[in-house]
Short mmCIF file of all heavy atoms in Angstrom, two decimals:
data_model
loop_
_atom_site.label_atom_id
_atom_site.label_comp_id
_atom_site.label_asym_id
_atom_site.label_seq_id
_atom_site.Cartn_x
_atom_site.Cartn_y
_atom_site.Cartn_z
N LEU A 23 -2.77 1.99 8.11
CA LEU A 23 -2.64 2.48 9.47
C LEU A 23 -3.76 1.92 10.36
O LEU A 23 -3.52 1.56 11.52
CB LEU A 23 -2.66 4.01 9.49
CG LEU A 23 -1.40 4.69 8.96
CD1 LEU A 23 -1.65 6.18 8.78
CD2 LEU A 23 -0.23 4.47 9.89
N TRP A 24 -4.98 1.87 9.83
CA TRP A 24 -6.08 1.31 10.61
C TRP A 24 -5.83 -0.17 10.92
O TRP A 24 -6.04 -0.63 12.05
CB TRP A 24 -7.40 1.47 9.87
CG TRP A 24 -8.49 0.70 10.54
CD1 TRP A 24 -9.16 1.05 11.68
CD2 TRP A 24 -8.97 -0.59 10.16
NE1 TRP A 24 -10.06 0.05 12.03
CE2 TRP A 24 -9.97 -0.96 11.11
CE3 TRP A 24 -8.69 -1.46 9.11
CZ2 TRP A 24 -10.65 -2.16 11.04
CZ3 TRP A 24 -9.37 -2.66 9.03
CH2 TRP A 24 -10.34 -3.01 9.99
N MET A 25 -5.39 -0.92 9.92
CA MET A 25 -5.14 -2.34 10.14
C MET A 25 -4.03 -2.56 11.17
O MET A 25 -4.11 -3.47 12.00
CB MET A 25 -4.83 -3.04 8.81
CG MET A 25 -6.07 -3.21 7.94
SD MET A 25 -5.78 -4.17 6.43
CE MET A 25 -5.01 -2.93 5.40
N GLN A 26 -3.00 -1.73 11.11
CA GLN A 26 -1.95 -1.82 12.13
C GLN A 26 -2.51 -1.55 13.52
O GLN A 26 -2.22 -2.28 14.48
CB GLN A 26 -0.84 -0.81 11.82
CG GLN A 26 0.10 -1.23 10.71
CD GLN A 26 1.26 -0.27 10.59
OE1 GLN A 26 1.10 0.95 10.70
NE2 GLN A 26 2.44 -0.80 10.37
N ALA A 27 -3.33 -0.50 13.64
CA ALA A 27 -3.92 -0.16 14.93
C ALA A 27 -4.85 -1.27 15.43
O ALA A 27 -5.05 -1.42 16.63
CB ALA A 27 -4.68 1.16 14.82
N ALA A 28 -5.40 -2.04 14.47
CA ALA A 28 -6.31 -3.13 14.82
C ALA A 28 -5.56 -4.43 15.10
O ALA A 28 -6.17 -5.48 15.29
CB ALA A 28 -7.31 -3.35 13.70
N GLY A 29 -4.22 -4.37 15.11
CA GLY A 29 -3.43 -5.53 15.49
C GLY A 29 -2.82 -6.33 14.37
O GLY A 29 -2.21 -7.37 14.61
N MET A 30 -2.93 -5.84 13.13
CA MET A 30 -2.32 -6.54 12.00
C MET A 30 -0.94 -5.94 11.73
O MET A 30 -0.84 -4.78 11.34
CB MET A 30 -3.21 -6.43 10.75
CG MET A 30 -4.57 -7.08 10.93
SD MET A 30 -5.66 -6.87 9.48
CE MET A 30 -4.76 -7.81 8.23
N ASP A 31 0.10 -6.73 11.94
CA ASP A 31 1.46 -6.22 11.77
C ASP A 31 2.09 -6.68 10.46
O ASP A 31 3.31 -6.55 10.27
CB ASP A 31 2.35 -6.63 12.95
CG ASP A 31 2.44 -8.14 13.11
OD1 ASP A 31 1.84 -8.87 12.28
OD2 ASP A 31 3.09 -8.59 14.06
N ASN A 32 1.27 -7.20 9.55
CA ASN A 32 1.78 -7.74 8.29
C ASN A 32 1.28 -6.95 7.09
O ASN A 32 1.10 -7.48 6.01
CB ASN A 32 1.35 -9.21 8.14
CG ASN A 32 -0.18 -9.38 8.22
OD1 ASN A 32 -0.85 -8.58 8.86
ND2 ASN A 32 -0.69 -10.41 7.58
N VAL A 33 1.06 -5.64 7.30
CA VAL A 33 0.43 -4.81 6.28
C VAL A 33 1.39 -3.74 5.77
O VAL A 33 2.07 -3.07 6.55
CB VAL A 33 -0.84 -4.13 6.83
CG1 VAL A 33 -1.49 -3.27 5.75
CG2 VAL A 33 -1.81 -5.17 7.33
N LEU A 34 1.43 -3.59 4.45
CA LEU A 34 2.16 -2.52 3.78
C LEU A 34 1.19 -1.76 2.89
O LEU A 34 0.12 -2.26 2.54
CB LEU A 34 3.28 -3.10 2.90
CG LEU A 34 4.31 -4.02 3.55
CD1 LEU A 34 5.19 -4.65 2.49
CD2 LEU A 34 5.15 -3.24 4.56
N GLN A 35 1.57 -0.56 2.48
CA GLN A 35 0.81 0.18 1.49
C GLN A 35 1.63 0.24 0.20
O GLN A 35 2.87 0.25 0.24
CB GLN A 35 0.52 1.59 1.97
CG GLN A 35 1.80 2.39 2.26
CD GLN A 35 1.56 3.86 2.44
OE1 GLN A 35 0.80 4.48 1.71
NE2 GLN A 35 2.24 4.45 3.43
N LEU A 36 0.94 0.27 -0.94
CA LEU A 36 1.62 0.46 -2.21
C LEU A 36 1.97 1.93 -2.36
O LEU A 36 1.08 2.77 -2.47
CB LEU A 36 0.74 -0.01 -3.37
CG LEU A 36 1.29 0.26 -4.78
CD1 LEU A 36 2.66 -0.36 -4.97
CD2 LEU A 36 0.32 -0.23 -5.83
N ASP A 37 3.22 2.25 -2.35
CA ASP A 37 3.66 3.64 -2.42
C ASP A 37 3.22 4.27 -3.74
O ASP A 37 3.56 3.79 -4.81
CB ASP A 37 5.19 3.71 -2.30
CG ASP A 37 5.68 5.10 -1.94
OD1 ASP A 37 4.89 5.89 -1.40
OD2 ASP A 37 6.85 5.40 -2.21
N GLY A 38 2.41 5.33 -3.64
CA GLY A 38 1.95 6.03 -4.83
C GLY A 38 0.71 5.45 -5.47
O GLY A 38 0.22 5.98 -6.47
N GLY A 39 0.17 4.37 -4.90
CA GLY A 39 -1.05 3.80 -5.42
C GLY A 39 -0.93 3.23 -6.83
O GLY A 39 0.17 3.03 -7.36
N ILE A 40 -2.07 2.99 -7.45
CA ILE A 40 -2.10 2.41 -8.80
C ILE A 40 -1.45 3.35 -9.81
O ILE A 40 -0.68 2.91 -10.68
CB ILE A 40 -3.55 2.11 -9.23
CG1 ILE A 40 -4.19 1.10 -8.28
CG2 ILE A 40 -3.59 1.58 -10.66
CD1 ILE A 40 -5.70 0.99 -8.46
N LEU A 41 -1.73 4.64 -9.71
CA LEU A 41 -1.17 5.58 -10.68
C LEU A 41 0.35 5.61 -10.58
O LEU A 41 1.05 5.70 -11.60
CB LEU A 41 -1.76 6.97 -10.48
CG LEU A 41 -3.26 7.10 -10.73
CD1 LEU A 41 -3.71 8.54 -10.55
CD2 LEU A 41 -3.64 6.60 -12.12
N GLY A 42 0.88 5.54 -9.37
CA GLY A 42 2.33 5.49 -9.21
C GLY A 42 2.90 4.20 -9.77
O GLY A 42 3.99 4.19 -10.35
N TYR A 43 2.16 3.11 -9.60
CA TYR A 43 2.59 1.81 -10.15
C TYR A 43 2.62 1.88 -11.67
O TYR A 43 3.60 1.46 -12.31
CB TYR A 43 1.63 0.74 -9.66
CG TYR A 43 2.04 -0.68 -9.99
CD1 TYR A 43 2.87 -1.40 -9.12
CD2 TYR A 43 1.60 -1.32 -11.15
CE1 TYR A 43 3.25 -2.70 -9.40
CE2 TYR A 43 1.98 -2.63 -11.43
CZ TYR A 43 2.80 -3.32 -10.56
OH TYR A 43 3.17 -4.61 -10.84
N PHE A 44 1.56 2.40 -12.28
CA PHE A 44 1.52 2.54 -13.74
C PHE A 44 2.70 3.39 -14.22
O PHE A 44 3.35 3.07 -15.21
CB PHE A 44 0.22 3.21 -14.17
CG PHE A 44 -1.00 2.32 -14.16
CD1 PHE A 44 -2.25 2.84 -14.46
CD2 PHE A 44 -0.91 0.98 -13.86
CE1 PHE A 44 -3.38 2.05 -14.47
CE2 PHE A 44 -2.03 0.15 -13.85
CZ PHE A 44 -3.27 0.70 -14.16
N GLU A 45 2.94 4.49 -13.53
CA GLU A 45 3.97 5.44 -13.94
C GLU A 45 5.36 4.81 -13.89
O GLU A 45 6.20 5.05 -14.76
CB GLU A 45 3.91 6.66 -13.02
CG GLU A 45 4.76 7.84 -13.46
CD GLU A 45 4.54 9.05 -12.58
OE1 GLU A 45 4.62 8.93 -11.34
OE2 GLU A 45 4.26 10.13 -13.13
N GLN A 46 5.60 3.96 -12.88
CA GLN A 46 6.95 3.44 -12.68
C GLN A 46 7.21 2.08 -13.34
O GLN A 46 8.31 1.84 -13.82
CB GLN A 46 7.25 3.34 -11.19
CG GLN A 46 7.30 4.70 -10.49
CD GLN A 46 7.72 4.60 -9.05
OE1 GLN A 46 8.59 3.81 -8.69
NE2 GLN A 46 7.12 5.41 -8.20
N VAL A 47 6.20 1.21 -13.36
CA VAL A 47 6.45 -0.14 -13.89
C VAL A 47 5.44 -0.59 -14.93
O VAL A 47 5.57 -1.68 -15.49
CB VAL A 47 6.53 -1.19 -12.76
CG1 VAL A 47 7.61 -0.85 -11.77
CG2 VAL A 47 5.19 -1.33 -12.04
N GLY A 48 4.40 0.21 -15.20
CA GLY A 48 3.41 -0.21 -16.18
C GLY A 48 2.32 -1.07 -15.56
O GLY A 48 1.99 -0.92 -14.39
#
């Protein structure tokens, strides 16, 4: 959100973070 507000429109967040990534795909 901060990067978007600073003018970067090419930013996504990893949904659920690292723990969510581990849980879903290893």
Side-chain angles (χ1 to χ4, degrees):
L23 287 169
W24 170 77
M25 286 186 281
Q26 283 188 319
M30 297 177 65
D31 59 2
N32 57 332
V33 180
L34 305 171
Q35 60 167 318
L36 174 57
D37 197 22
I40 299 167
L41 296 182
Y43 188 88
F44 283 177
E45 190 174 52
Q46 294 186 38
V47 302

